[in-house]
Amino acid sequence: MKQTIGRIDKADFPLLELLQIAVKIDTGAYTSSIHCKNVIEEKGVLKCNFLDEEHPDYDGKEIIFKNYQTTRVKSSNGIVQTRYKIKTTIILFNLNHDIYLTLSDREEMKFPVLLGRTFLNKRFVVDTSLTNLSFKQQQNEH
């Protein structure tokens, strides 16, 4: 049985030390992405900062990945970009899920994380009239 998720929610990314991060559910997007800055690849290691200085949870901490890939992503305006892709864990509805995230500068976007079809498929059905279902469940259990 698929879990119902609304059009927006809040999720935890424990391996990235990010909690209650706003996510937008986007069935039009194939891949999922997360906002990051200062992406540098050197000596087989990928380094970046998540979120922006304006974000309340921004800590300036550099996150380092030894396992990453590159992938080609077509944006909504049709432009194809090569992006770095990482595998991490997302917690929704108190369950851990593996997720691949492409690293993208989403500074102009309201939501730092976009959850696309590849992640949503076989797990969730989207009800666009609802919001924060996972976050509300988490709050009710604490």
Side-chain angles (χ1 to χ4, degrees), residues 9-13 18-21 91-95 132-142:
D9 217 317
K10 291 185 181 173
D12 294 341
F13 297 86
L18 298 172
L19 303 176
Q20 296 181 4
I21 300 300
I91 300 175
L92 286 167
F93 299 99
N94 296 318
L95 295 173
N132 295 322
L133 296 179
S134 173
F135 181 68
K136 288 173 186 170
Q137 177 183 319
Q138 184 183 24
Q139 296 303 298
N140 289 338
E141 292 179 6
H142 289 291

Side-chain angles (χ1 to χ4, degrees), residues 34-42 45-50 62 83-84 103-105:
I34 188 167
H35 171 62
C36 65
K37 300 288 259 184
N38 308 319
V39 180
I40 300 168
E41 181 184 22
E42 59 185 19
V45 174
L46 188 66
K47 303 174 184 177
C48 68
N49 303 104
F50 289 109
E62 188 174 66
R83 291 189 192 163
Y84 292 104
L103 307 183
S104 174
D105 185 341

Side-chain angles (χ1 to χ4, degrees), residues 15-81:
L15 301 176
L16 306 177
E17 299 177 18
L18 298 172
L19 303 176
Q20 296 181 4
I21 300 300
V23 298
K24 180 179 179 187
I25 312 309
D26 187 351
T27 58
Y30 182 72
T31 57
S32 299
S33 64
I34 188 167
H35 171 62
C36 65
K37 300 288 259 184
N38 308 319
V39 180
I40 300 168
E41 181 184 22
E42 59 185 19
K43 298 178 185 161
V45 174
L46 188 66
K47 303 174 184 177
C48 68
N49 303 104
F50 289 109
L51 309 176
D52 280 316
E53 292 174 15
E54 296 79 35
H55 194 283
D57 293 332
Y58 178 78
D59 60 8
K61 183 177 171 189
E62 188 174 66
I63 305 290
I64 297 172
F65 299 96
K66 292 182 177 146
N67 297 315
Y68 59 92
Q69 303 169 267
T70 57
T71 189
R72 295 173 59 77
V73 176
K74 186 188 279 189
S75 64
S76 57
N77 59 14
I79 296 172
V80 176
Q81 295 178 318

Side-chain angles (χ1 to χ4, degrees), residues 69-140:
Q69 303 169 267
T70 57
T71 189
R72 295 173 59 77
V73 176
K74 186 188 279 189
S75 64
S76 57
N77 59 14
I79 296 172
V80 176
Q81 295 178 318
T82 299
R83 291 189 192 163
Y84 292 104
K85 180 168 77 171
I86 58 152
K87 183 179 180 182
T88 192
T89 301
I90 183 174
I91 300 175
L92 286 167
F93 299 99
N94 296 318
L95 295 173
N96 288 358
H97 303 276
D98 288 337
I99 186 170
Y100 286 96
L101 296 170
T102 62
L103 307 183
S104 174
D105 185 341
R106 296 183 49 78
E107 190 170 20
E108 303 302 317
M109 308 298 179
K110 184 175 178 185
F111 295 90
V113 175
L114 200 75
L115 298 181
R117 291 191 311 270
T118 304
F119 173 72
L120 299 168
N121 194 20
K122 298 187 177 115
R123 290 186 183 104
F124 298 100
V125 61
V126 181
D127 184 335
T128 58
S129 69
L130 302 172
T131 61
N132 295 322
L133 296 179
S134 173
F135 181 68
K136 288 173 186 170
Q137 177 183 319
Q138 184 183 24
Q139 296 303 298
N140 289 338

